[in-house]
Amino acid sequence: NAGVTQTPKFQVLKTGQSMTLQCAQDMNHNSMYWYRQDPGMGLRLIYYSASEGTTDKGEVPNGYNVSRLNKREFSLRLESAAPSQTSVYFCASRANRGYVYEQYFGPGTRLTVT
Amino acid sequence: KQEVTQIPAALSVPEGENLVLNCSFTDSAIYNLQWFRQDPGKGLTSLLLIQSSQREQTSGRLNASLDKSSGRSTLYIAASQPGDSATYLCAVRWNRDDKIIFGKGTRLHILP
């Protein structure tokens, strides 16, 4: 049981390049999330997926797209990277245990856009 | 707008002291509130989760309380240790909404 995994751990992009951040969970969770974390800004929700086949915008969706490929995987795509997207990106999934909904986080992807 | 606020942004206390971290939220119709710990350069580790029907949760030296009517939660850390130094974040989920909103965190430093 690996929990929530993210790849890559680190990435450097040039402005205008594209890339996809991968996230997978093996806990059979329905809900998955993408956050970015910037100094002094806390964690901000980019997109989330309440179930396979559905996605919704969070607080800061501009410049990003997501795909909920199946129940396990939720990817985040930057079509044309900008320096403002330099950040640490966290994927999370949420447990459904009765009425208890607890979030579990991946280790993060540190992205630098030059 | 649903918002989560944590004050102070940073806190330094001597080892051994008891301390309280604060979290406040707009809109009292929450579903649950979760406290996390984050070490520098690392991901988030869940500490405690309080459902809206609960008043508090305890785990070891940690106690989290919830007062929905006033829109506040506190995380109490007893007998603080240098290993408690980290950033503590609270996150709120509101009813009928799958979004979870985070506060900006309190950076805690325990002085040996």
Side-chain angles (χ1 to χ4, degrees), chain B residues 28-85:
Chain B
S28 61
I30 71 168
Y31 194 90
N32 62 31
L33 183 146
Q34 195 168 356
W35 282 95
F36 292 87
R37 168 187 173 132
Q38 185 177 31
D39 293 288
K42 304 290 186 185
L44 279 73
T45 301
S46 178
L47 297 173
L48 290 163
L49 181 143
I50 310 178
Q51 294 297 111
S52 62
S53 58
Q54 297 173 324
R55 295 282 294 183
E56 64 178 354
Q57 284 284 336
T58 298
S59 176
R61 294 183 293 108
L62 305 180
N63 177 280
S65 68
L66 175 65
D67 183 345
K68 280 199 307 180
S69 60
S70 65
R72 292 191 304 179
S73 175
T74 61
L75 180 67
Y76 175 85
I77 302 177
S80 59
Q81 303 169 358
D84 294 330
S85 297

Side-chain angles (χ1 to χ4, degrees), chain A residues 53-69:
Chain A
T54 68
T55 60
D56 286 284
K57 294 179 180 178
E59 301 168 80
V60 288
N62 292 343
Y64 305 95
N65 285 304
V66 290
S67 295
R68 184 72 185 269
L69 304 168

